[in-house]
Amino acid sequence: MYNEEQNNQQWQQYNPQYGSRELSDLINNRVIYPEIFYKIQPFVMVCCDQIEAMGIDIPPQEIIDHMTEVIYNDVCRMHPDIAEYAREYEKTNKNSEIVDVINGIYGSNYRRRGLLRDLIGILLISELFRRRRRYY
């Protein structure tokens, strides 16, 4: 189940730029996001830092797919319970009729990569756009 102390240590390890006040704000507002967010987000932040270090504003789809796969592998290594949940979900939810309907609506570019990979991709793209936002 949820281990707050372990999560705090992971967050501080991957996000040393946050001070104790910001960290306490994040801890106090934990009810906003589900537990899985706090397990995946540190990995997403590290990848976004790497992308920024390369000087890429918004990377092409190939880099996003690669980074999603890297994050997925890291999360599965660090959190075997999430990896098991993702595997079980993928086994039970292989309905090709849904994919056919979506391909009919949106064209043939829809790809089913699994729930966890999709969640990681969403978090990665959201964080990239959040960092790109210009403040005037």
Side-chain angles (χ1 to χ4, degrees):
M1 194 61 188
Y2 179 71
N3 184 342
E4 186 173 339
E5 182 179 331
Q6 182 183 12
N7 243 1
N8 293 346
Q9 290 172 353
Q10 285 178 342
W11 185 266
Q12 287 176 334
Q13 176 186 359
Y14 290 111
N15 299 290
Q17 72 272 17
Y18 289 108
S20 60
R21 180 176 176 184
E22 290 89 356
L23 185 60
S24 66
D25 288 344
L26 291 169
I27 291 169
N28 292 336
N29 295 319
R30 270 191 200 274
V31 294
I32 295 174
Y33 295 107
E35 178 183 346
I36 194 168
F37 171 83
Y38 296 101
K39 290 182 176 182
I40 296 174
Q41 188 65 14
F43 296 100
V44 170
M45 302 284 280
V46 168
C47 275
C48 288
D49 291 342
Q50 292 171 351
I51 291 171
E52 279 183 348
M54 289 189 287
I56 300 172
D57 204 16
I58 295 295
Q61 186 66 43
E62 296 82 30
I63 292 177
I64 291 176
D65 289 342
H66 174 72
M67 296 305 262
T68 299
E69 197 62 33
V70 167
I71 294 170
Y72 176 82
N73 292 332
D74 289 345
V75 168
C76 287
R77 191 173 347 101
M78 291 291 292
H79 303 285
D81 56 326
I82 293 176
E84 181 63 29
Y85 175 77
R87 280 191 292 273
E88 289 299 317
Y89 180 84
E90 289 171 9
K91 284 181 191 175
T92 59
N93 292 302
K94 290 188 175 182
N95 191 346
S96 62
E97 294 175 8
I98 294 173
V99 174
D100 292 339
V101 169
I102 293 173
N103 282 339
I105 295 172
Y106 295 108
S108 61
N109 293 333
Y110 176 76
R111 57 189 179 178
R112 191 155 189 176
R113 301 179 306 160
L115 183 64
L116 184 57
R117 282 185 180 92
D118 287 343
L119 176 61
I120 291 169
I122 291 167
L123 292 175
L124 182 61
I125 292 169
S126 296
E127 181 64 20
L128 287 169
F129 279 121
R130 186 193 69 76
R131 291 178 180 213
R132 185 174 179 243
R133 190 175 304 144
R134 306 286 186 247
Y135 297 99
Y136 297 101

